[in-house]
Amino acid sequence: MNNLLNIDILTKTFDDMPVGVGIFQVTDLDDIESIQYVFMNKVLLYEMRKTKEEVFGKKIMEVAPEAYAHEAGLYVIETYRKVAREHETINLGLVQYSNHMVAGTYECSVHHIQDNYVYVMLRNVTELEKAKNELEKKNKELSEFAYIASHDLKSPLSNISMLVKMIESDYGETLDEHAITFLKFINQSIGRMKNLITDLLEYSTVGNKKEVTQIDCQKLVETVEQDLESTIKETDAQIEIGTLPTLNGYETELSSLFQNLIINAIKFVKPGITPVISITAEKDNGWRFAVKDNGIGISTENPSEIFSIFKRLHTEKHYEGTGIGLAHCKKIVDLHEGKIWVESTPGEGSTFYFTIPQKESA
Ligand code: ADP
């Protein structure tokens, strides 16, 4: 036997690997029944519930004839022959096995070694896939719950708001100072609750429309700027927009992302300071954006905590808000499979970075 296929060397090399490795000899390239096992590491033998004595040097047809009768098994065996013939690597992705010996989901690829020899790499991802599906289901349920809960809260809140207005108009003249102050507080709380509901609703619907389009970020940010015109005028904020790219992404969500970051950059400044904001982008395995401000900065030991829902570093009294904005931003960046983080010098300003990876260069 060729040195490369010395069983002892193979066992020492591959036995303790966490993936299944198996080497096959395709004796006759035109006959899938001629394929035989040369070597299998511990993981693969375990998956097959076999010992090496039962398989090494034996034909698949002798050891596991049922593989030929089973669609997934036949597909993999056919792939051994194809790879042996065409000297290429074939990534089969996820393969579902369900026969009496093997059952589950496997990530599988077949590689060429030399004439008539191929090897397969197999990873049992059954539990991982189950957990992934479960997680997706739970996330969906959670989003639906947040949507329904916030949606249903709107109507009693509108009733309260209407009743307060009726009290004000019907009894306005008879109300004493205390009652007027209480009504003012109720109105403030209603306003805050409305903001929370709107933000929660937006947060829970990120990516619902799941449509990737080509987006001109320059135009997108200019539109966001127009939408924020009154806030920008009120605060005299100066916003400098660098050259921004065109890329593939979720338009509504990206618009929300820029809007949230710009609103925060305007909001979190020291009183009396004019907000100066710059928005730039650099190519980086897709694009890396930076939204830089001259605000109060972030003085927490762990700045990444501000991306958690409801996390705020300031009280409502100093800077109003719901604590959902940056969690919303993170959800949007996650949807694009990017990353978001902040670098900041307290008292001088912060720069929020986020990446939007691109499959092909856009
Ligand atoms: P909100 O703005 O409603 O409070 P966010 O989720 O947008 O909620 O932000 C969370 C917290 O992160 C804010 O309360 C604030 O403490 C901090 N933060 C966000 N953006 C900035 C910024 N540009 N400069 C300083 N602090 C910021």
Side-chain angles (χ1 to χ4, degrees):
M1 184 176 284
N2 188 316
N3 266 347
L4 180 68
L5 298 175
N6 179 302
I7 297 294
D8 195 36
I9 293 177
L10 291 172
T11 306
K12 285 193 176 121
T13 314
F14 295 113
D15 239 12
D16 292 325
M17 281 200 171
V19 288
V21 179
I23 297 177
F24 293 89
Q25 182 178 7
V26 187
T27 321
D28 177 350
L29 294 177
D30 292 321
D31 178 11
I32 52 170
E33 291 189 11
S34 74
I35 302 175
Q36 60 180 48
Y37 303 96
V38 175
F39 166 81
M40 292 200 144
N41 74 345
K42 261 194 219 153
V43 172
L44 211 52
L45 285 169
Y46 170 78
E47 292 294 348
M48 288 187 63
R49 314 289 187 266
K50 296 274 179 205
T51 62
K52 53 174 134 175
E53 290 74 21
E54 283 173 296
V55 292
F56 287 14
K58 306 263 168 56
K59 286 188 177 162
I60 303 179
M61 198 55 186
E62 291 170 60
V63 178
E66 67 283 349
Y68 288 85
H70 176 252
E71 201 185 325
L74 193 61
Y75 178 46
V76 176
I77 294 170
E78 271 292 358
T79 307
Y80 296 156
R81 185 172 60 146
K82 192 161 190 279
V83 169
R85 215 193 238 170
E86 293 166 22
H87 296 200
E88 58 176 335
T89 289
I90 296 185
N91 197 340
L92 292 173
L94 296 182
V95 177
Q96 287 282 348
Y97 274 108
S98 60
N99 57 42
H100 71 283
M101 284 192 310
V102 188
T105 311
Y106 295 82
E107 218 170 54
C108 180
S109 58
V110 183
H111 310 252
H112 180 251
I113 305 176
Q114 62 177 47
D115 284 350
N116 299 83
Y117 287 93
V118 299
Y119 76 93
V120 64
M121 267 208 299
L122 208 73
R123 195 159 72 101
N124 189 337
V125 290
T126 314
E127 291 307 313
L128 201 71
E129 284 299 303
K130 256 195 225 156
K132 240 163 73 181
N133 292 340
E134 197 56 27
L135 195 69
E136 252 171 44
K137 210 174 110 204
K138 288 268 174 276
N139 273 338
K140 201 160 163 259
E141 278 171 13
L142 208 64
S143 279
E144 278 167 9
F145 170 75
Y147 181 81
I148 292 166
S150 43
H151 191 262
D152 287 1
L153 283 174
K154 269 188 160 175
S155 123
L157 193 65
S158 300
N159 288 343
I160 299 172
S161 181
M162 202 174 66
L163 289 170
V164 170
K165 279 202 188 90
M166 281 164 72
I167 295 174
E168 280 170 344
S169 72
D170 292 359
Y171 302 96
E173 314 226 314
T174 59
L175 295 174
D176 67 12
E177 218 178 290
H178 279 304
I180 291 171
T181 313
F182 291 154
L183 285 180
K184 198 176 122 206
F185 286 147
I186 294 177
N187 271 329
Q188 276 173 1
S189 295
I190 291 173
R192 189 162 149 62
M193 187 89 167
K194 271 191 185 149
N195 289 342
L196 266 168
I197 291 174
T198 311
D199 286 0
L200 257 180
L201 269 172
E202 269 187 23
Y203 177 80
S204 66
T205 52
V206 166
N208 268 9
K209 285 216 187 106
K210 290 259 178 218
E211 204 196 355
V212 172
T213 53
Q214 210 180 51
I215 301 157
D216 179 345
C217 290
Q218 194 84 36
K219 276 205 191 126
L220 184 103
V221 174
E222 279 165 13
T223 309
V224 170
E225 204 183 8
Q226 281 159 19
D227 293 344
L228 297 175
E229 200 186 333
S230 62
T231 315
I232 294 173
K233 273 207 179 121
E234 255 168 48
T235 54
D236 217 10
Q238 291 165 29
I239 305 182
E240 209 179 288
I241 306 174
T243 310
L244 303 183
T246 293
L247 47 71
N248 297 319
Y250 298 86
E251 186 165 3
T252 315
E253 279 77 8
L254 276 186
S255 169
S256 245
L257 172 61
F258 280 110
Q259 179 160 330
N260 271 303
L261 293 178
I262 296 171
I263 288 177
N264 279 352
I266 295 177
K267 182 164 69 172
F268 292 104
V269 283
K270 273 199 216 117
I273 298 283
T274 305
V276 179
I277 302 154
S278 80
I279 303 166
T280 51
E282 266 179 45
K283 223 168 179 341
D284 173 15
N285 184 26
W287 291 94
R288 191 187 69 205
F289 291 84
V291 179
K292 184 174 190 291
D293 65 45
N294 63 336
I296 54 174
I298 290 158
S299 48
T300 167
E301 258 178 41
N302 174 19
S304 62
E305 66 182 356
I306 59 174
F307 297 99
S308 305
I309 194 159
F310 302 131
K311 182 72 197 177
R312 308 198 69 225
L313 304 176
H314 304 93
T315 59
E316 180 72 7
K317 200 173 131 211
H318 292 108
Y319 296 98
E320 65 172 35
T322 58
I324 299 176
L326 286 179
H328 190 187
C329 292
K330 178 158 181 348
K331 206 171 165 193
I332 294 168
V333 174
D334 285 348
L335 178 73
H336 288 86
E337 294 175 12
K339 286 196 164 46
I340 184 164
W341 69 100
V342 63
E343 285 172 14
S344 177
T345 311
E348 285 183 23
S350 316
T351 307
F352 284 82
Y353 293 96
F354 65 88
T355 56
I356 304 289
Q358 295 289 286
K359 297 246 153 57
E360 319 117 275
S361 56

